[in-house]
Amino acid sequence: MSGRTVWYPGHMASGEREISKLIDKLDLIVEVRDARAPKLTSSPIIKRISKLRPVTIVLSKKDLASPEGTAAWLEYFKSAGISAWAFNMRSAKLEPMLKTLTGLRPPHRELRLAVVGIPNVGKSFFLNLLVGKNAAKVGGIPGITRGVSWYKGNGFLAVDSPGILDPHSGEETGRRLSWLGCTKAEVIGGFESMGEYLIDFLRTKNLLTILENKWNIVTHSEQGENYVAQEIMKQIGIRLGCLVSGGSINLELAGRKLVESFSTGKLGSVTIEYPDD
């Protein structure tokens, strides 16, 4: 695969500039990552801004990751002295986290924090939980850069930011992010290609059973050898009705349904990277 490996429109670059302008007005950065791949989904700006302000990590989509995987990551962050929390965004209870964050509040004003993260890790969902879905934007705050969206919570102000990707990340990073829905498969090679890479990855992790269990897909030949990814893709296409006139299989559509089923957790709870990987 050649060319661009990530989707990086202009608003992402603009968002990075806005956060940089705001950094001296903030008390805390809350970075949202996908619990299935906490290292892979780290924001490219976090290393730089973590030197300037404390960072709390939120692992979203806990329900889509394996319990042992999430436990391993929380222990990893704890041992590194990093504040980290994991939530199922559909039933998250933020009170323990908010109680901890209250300790960072300056005595003379509200706590000011920024919510950052790459696209589609659940950042906006978390912000809604943090301040309430019906929270109104706050404008005209003296001494704070205009042009960004601030929201008022109980004792704090939170600023949202657009999802920012690293435009220089490699091919493998782009592929895996597409499986999580964090970048566009159409930009980095198409769904057929990303689906085949996903099948190969699941094979290396001995996770092809999730396809067998969900769609009754055969992943081994009678001789015991693995089918190639394209053959498995054809089975998925037939199983999910991705057929065109003449009975041929639309592999691009099959790949889309595979990748989207994986990214939304329909294939089960899977962690794709561990701290010791």
Side-chain angles (χ1 to χ4, degrees):
M1 183 175 64
S2 60
R4 296 176 62 186
T5 58
V6 296
W7 180 55
Y8 193 82
H11 78 277
M12 295 185 184
S14 174
E16 182 173 358
R17 288 193 297 270
E18 292 298 339
I19 290 295
S20 297
K21 292 177 185 177
L22 282 170
I23 197 70
D24 63 339
K25 307 294 184 183
L26 297 170
D27 304 305
L28 174 71
I29 306 295
V30 177
E31 185 195 13
V32 182
R33 307 185 187 186
D34 191 313
R36 295 170 291 181
K39 184 177 180 180
L40 184 72
T41 57
S42 176
S43 171
I45 67 172
I46 203 64
K47 184 176 182 180
R48 176 173 59 82
I49 62 178
S50 65
K51 298 176 182 178
L52 305 174
R53 290 294 182 271
V55 174
T56 289
I57 294 174
V58 167
L59 301 182
S60 67
K61 307 181 184 181
K62 172 185 174 182
D63 51 315
L64 304 188
S66 67
E68 62 273 15
T70 300
W73 278 107
L74 290 175
E75 180 59 33
Y76 168 80
F77 289 125
K78 181 180 178 181
S79 64
I82 300 171
S83 171
W85 305 79
F87 299 109
N88 173 349
M89 290 305 186
R90 301 188 185 280
S91 60
K93 304 296 182 183
L94 300 187
E95 288 80 6
M97 177 183 174
L98 291 175
K99 185 176 180 180
T100 299
L101 296 186
T102 300
L104 300 174
R105 178 180 177 179
H108 60 287
R109 59 166 172 79
E110 73 286 327
L111 179 72
R112 295 173 181 169
L113 60 90
V115 181
V116 304
I118 69 171
N120 295 333
V121 289
K123 186 163 55 65
S124 295
F125 211 121
F126 174 75
L127 184 66
N128 285 338
L129 289 172
L130 193 65
V131 299
K133 291 183 179 180
N134 299 318
K137 293 182 182 180
V138 179
I141 301 172
I144 299 182
T145 304
R146 297 175 184 270
V148 295
S149 299
W150 287 89
Y151 299 86
K152 186 174 181 62
N154 184 16
F156 64 87
L157 290 175
V159 63
D160 196 8
S161 64
I164 299 171
L165 287 171
D166 182 357
H168 305 295
S169 62
E171 293 181 2
E172 186 63 22
T173 295
R175 293 168 189 158
R176 297 188 185 198
L177 288 175
S178 76
W179 305 337
L180 301 174
C182 296
T183 192
K184 292 180 177 291
E186 303 97 315
V187 175
I188 60 173
F191 282 102
E192 179 182 350
S193 177
M194 293 307 103
E196 290 181 3
Y197 281 123
L198 174 56
I199 290 169
D200 284 334
F201 173 82
L202 294 175
R203 178 183 291 118
T204 65
K205 300 296 183 180
N206 295 316
L207 290 171
L208 284 177
T209 52
I210 66 175
L211 303 182
E212 298 170 357
N213 296 337
K214 179 67 176 180
W215 292 322
N216 196 27
I217 300 297
V218 177
T219 60
H220 293 78
S221 71
E222 293 180 357
Q223 289 74 32
E225 297 178 354
N226 288 329
Y227 277 114
V228 297
Q230 190 175 59
E231 292 303 314
I232 295 176
M233 282 279 288
K234 289 178 180 178
Q235 290 188 68
I236 293 172
I238 294 171
R239 182 70 177 83
L240 301 185
C242 304
L243 305 175
V244 295
S245 58
S248 58
I249 303 167
N250 184 335
L251 292 175
E252 185 69 10
L253 179 57
R256 176 187 288 272
K257 291 191 174 184
L258 169 60
V259 171
E260 290 180 350
S261 294
F262 185 85
S263 68
T264 57
K266 292 179 180 178
L267 295 179
S269 301
V270 179
T271 295
I272 69 171
E273 65 175 5
Y274 285 77
D276 56 355
D277 284 347

